[in-house]
Amino acid sequence: MQAAETLLRETARDLFVGGVWRPASGGATFGVENPATGEAIAQVADATEADAKAAMDACVAAQPAWAATAPRRRSEILTEAWRRMLAAEDDLAMLMTLEMGKSLEESRGEVRYAAEFFRWFAEEAVRISGRFELAPDGSARLLTLRQPVGPCVLVTPWNFPLAMGARKIGPAIAAGCTMTVKPAQQTPLSMLALAGILEASGLPAGVLNVLPCARAAEIVAVCLDHPGARKVSFTGSTVVGRTLARHAGERLLRMSMELGGDNPFLVFADADLEAAVDGAMLAKMRNIGEACTAANRFFVASSVATEFSERLARRMAAQTVGPGLSGAQVGPLIDERARSRVAELVRAAIDGGARVLTGGAAPEGPGYFFTPTVLVDVPASAEILHTEIFGPVATIQTFETEAEAVSMSNATPVGLAAYVYTRDLARALRVTEALEVGMVGLNRGVVSNPAAPFGGIKASGLGREGGREGIDEYLSVKFAAIAV
Ligand code: NAD
């Protein structure tokens, strides 16, 4: 644990505003805890309203010069940051595991995934194109430009402390926008470390400002109300997203919303069951089930349901549960509130008649662990079938026909991701088209990829992150009509 202590001692805990690391005005701090032990690991500067105004002032001041910076230069800064992140993989991963709980191996994977957004957007920064056309009636020439939106407010969740930031910061830097980032209260250390890397990579002062804080609603509101703010990009729960969308709507800010999911995982009778179980483990257990893309409802053809459920239960039961630094596969949930919520959902389902194939309760001892759980015969009215579980719990329901599987999948107000296992190509394409989601994993348990447009439909949000679409969220279109 010596390495962890040294790392924590050397980790930034101040605000980063206008290129300066400093305490919060007034000097307040808040505590960050290790969810594997429940112990405090750091005190971090707690930004105030005055700090929020200062951060947005810094964005506004830095915006013109940053927009005028050559795309190649912006690209080089991102490439340098990508390199530095990979070089610092071990430290960044340990920091993330300490404040968030996931296994070291998963944290390492996230560092690489987050860094890849910088590489991807370094490549996009130099490909921001416009158009030059003759109007159809020949009366004018039309010049279409794409310019940076301007100062952005970026609000990120705790479940992927680096990646959810990198996929906003990367395109904002590439497009020439300045930004204020408000990381989740539970996991500010990873974002502060990332800011340090970007600073060392040559990012000019004021382009990126970071405001850890304990009072998210108040601090984000000041940022959105700042007259210089032009855009908000939020990743988090649908309920908070709605509040911010209302606020952004009032101010008529551009907005991107990456919100919650209720993702179905469909296994048809013709599926390769072994591959489906492998995919289910990834889709369910990645990030301890605390992923917006986590499989939330398993729908399995009734003829293979028993076999699939038993195989999945065996794999879930074999997972090792323990602190992320210990080498265990399944770390703790983020806090006591998250664990009690999962425990209550499971308890209510069991009380209502659900059968437990494995798990079912929280283990003894410190930390916010929950045992990997598989439930079948869950009553239709149980809340666990109608909410984002955000934990290592799989519920399995059965279906008879393809139409039924699609209709059960779509019976939810949100539409982020879906997973489909079948060997029938025509069915795979038919179901992909019919599912009301933004992303589909076809015979694959992971959809995320920096080169692909990530995002949802329905109440899962607005806009896309990553892919060729990702940079558009940070660009405004302008056109000039030019006399012939
Ligand atoms: P959350 O909505 O509670 O918090 C997200 C961020 O918003 C945090 O920084 C938090 O401090 C801040 N926040 C909270 N209340 C706020 C308010 N009133 N005003 C302004 N900011 C506020 O979400 P969470 O618990 O951190 O994350 C889990 C949720 O995020 C899940 O629903 C998950 O599905 C979703 N998520 C979505 C994606 C995606 O890309 N679609 C990715 C990861 C997580």
Side-chain angles (χ1 to χ4, degrees):
M1 205 36 84
Q2 185 52 39
E5 276 157 22
T6 313
L7 179 67
L8 283 169
R9 217 175 18 251
E10 289 166 359
T11 295
R13 294 125 188 265
D14 281 342
L15 313 181
F16 185 52
V17 176
V20 176
W21 294 92
R22 62 165 177 79
S25 59
T29 59
F30 66 94
V32 176
E33 70 172 20
N34 177 349
T37 60
E39 285 163 5
I41 51 171
Q43 285 291 320
V44 173
D46 187 2
T48 64
E49 284 80 350
D51 298 320
K53 180 174 179 306
M56 293 307 293
D57 287 346
C59 284
V60 171
Q63 182 59 56
W66 182 236
T69 300
R72 178 63 74 200
R73 178 69 198 127
R74 300 200 299 259
S75 172
E76 282 165 357
I77 292 168
L78 284 171
T79 303
E80 180 61 22
W82 164 70
R83 245 189 234 115
R84 284 174 182 262
M85 282 180 81
L86 295 184
E89 181 182 313
D90 287 349
D91 284 354
L92 288 171
M94 184 178 283
L95 197 57
M96 198 187 309
T97 291
L98 282 168
E99 66 176 350
M100 188 276 168
K102 69 182 80 177
S103 71
L104 258 186
E105 193 188 327
E106 284 200 286
S107 290
R108 282 205 193 92
E110 181 175 343
V111 175
R112 293 192 296 270
Y113 174 51
E116 195 58 29
F117 283 104
F118 286 176
R119 176 155 73 162
W120 174 262
F121 285 109
E123 292 157 348
E124 290 295 283
V126 292
R127 314 246 185 277
I128 301 170
S129 57
R131 292 203 309 269
F132 186 73
E133 296 149 307
L134 191 60
D137 65 2
S139 64
R141 291 189 176 91
L142 307 176
L143 176 65
T144 305
L145 305 87
R146 294 199 296 158
Q147 297 178 304
V149 167
C152 299
V153 180
L154 311 179
V155 182
T156 57
W158 49 262
N159 60 345
F160 293 98
L162 275 183
M164 298 301 96
R167 74 181 188 190
K168 300 183 190 306
I169 295 168
I173 288 178
C177 295
T178 59
M179 67 211 85
T180 293
V181 180
K182 206 302 282 171
Q185 178 182 349
Q186 297 92 332
T187 57
L189 302 175
S190 297
M191 181 56 67
L192 292 170
L194 186 63
I197 284 177
L198 283 160
E199 181 189 28
S201 303
L203 194 69
V207 172
L208 169 73
N209 304 277
V210 183
L211 293 179
C213 69
R215 293 177 306 123
E218 290 84 348
I219 299 313
V220 172
V222 170
C223 294
L224 297 186
D225 281 333
H226 192 284
R230 293 288 173 270
K231 175 183 172 78
V232 57
S233 177
F234 171 77
T235 297
S237 58
T238 296
V239 52
V240 174
R242 254 200 200 103
T243 308
L244 292 187
R246 231 178 265 129
H247 194 153
E250 190 57 43
R251 286 242 31 238
L252 293 173
L253 301 179
R254 285 274 297 270
M255 63 174 110
S256 307
M257 293 282 156
E258 295 287 348
L259 311 177
D262 182 13
N263 314 305
F265 189 107
L266 277 57
V267 182
F268 286 93
D270 62 22
D272 173 341
L273 272 199
E274 199 49 40
V277 173
D278 286 346
M281 288 303 293
L282 280 172
K284 181 73 248 178
M285 296 303 289
R286 180 165 169 252
N287 223 44
I288 323 160
E290 295 172 314
C292 57
T293 49
N296 203 49
R297 298 171 295 152
F298 286 85
F299 298 125
V300 183
S302 60
S303 58
V304 294
T306 303
E307 192 180 346
F308 174 84
S309 307
E310 282 169 3
R311 285 203 206 184
L312 182 64
R314 273 201 297 278
R315 293 280 293 275
M316 292 281 269
Q319 294 273 296
T320 51
V321 179
L325 292 183
S326 72
Q329 293 160 299
V330 185
L333 296 178
I334 188 68
D335 51 27
E336 180 50 40
R337 200 164 61 106
R339 180 173 61 174
S340 345
R341 193 183 148 272
V342 171
E344 276 159 32
L345 288 172
V346 169
R347 169 60 36 213
I350 296 170
D351 288 349
R355 233 164 13 98
V356 182
L357 295 192
T358 185
E364 294 284 319
Y368 310 122
F369 298 93
F370 198 84
T371 312
T373 295
V374 177
L375 301 177
V376 294
D377 301 338
V378 182
S381 60
E383 197 194 341
I384 199 165
L385 298 182
H386 308 282
T387 189
E388 194 178 21
I389 301 170
F390 242 56
V393 180
T395 63
I396 301 175
Q397 301 171 74
T398 60
F399 66 82
E400 301 301 330
T401 66
E402 181 182 312
E404 191 191 356
V406 168
S407 127
M408 287 161 93
S409 299
N410 289 343
T412 173
V414 295
L416 191 61
Y419 304 87
V420 180
Y421 275 79
T422 175
R423 280 190 271 219
D424 177 338
L425 177 62
R427 165 180 282 152
L429 295 177
R430 232 176 12 245
V431 171
T432 296
E433 287 173 10
L435 288 169
E436 296 171 353
V437 293
M439 301 173 281
V440 177
L442 265 184
N443 296 318
R444 222 185 119 78
V446 176
V447 288
S448 309
N449 190 312
F454 187 106
I457 61 170
K458 295 163 81 177
S460 286
L462 304 166
R464 291 295 179 267
E465 292 191 322
R468 274 184 261 158
E469 291 79 359
I471 200 163
D472 292 341
E473 306 275 322
Y474 295 87
L475 293 167
S476 294
V477 174
K478 179 189 282 177
F479 99 92
I482 306 166
V484 173

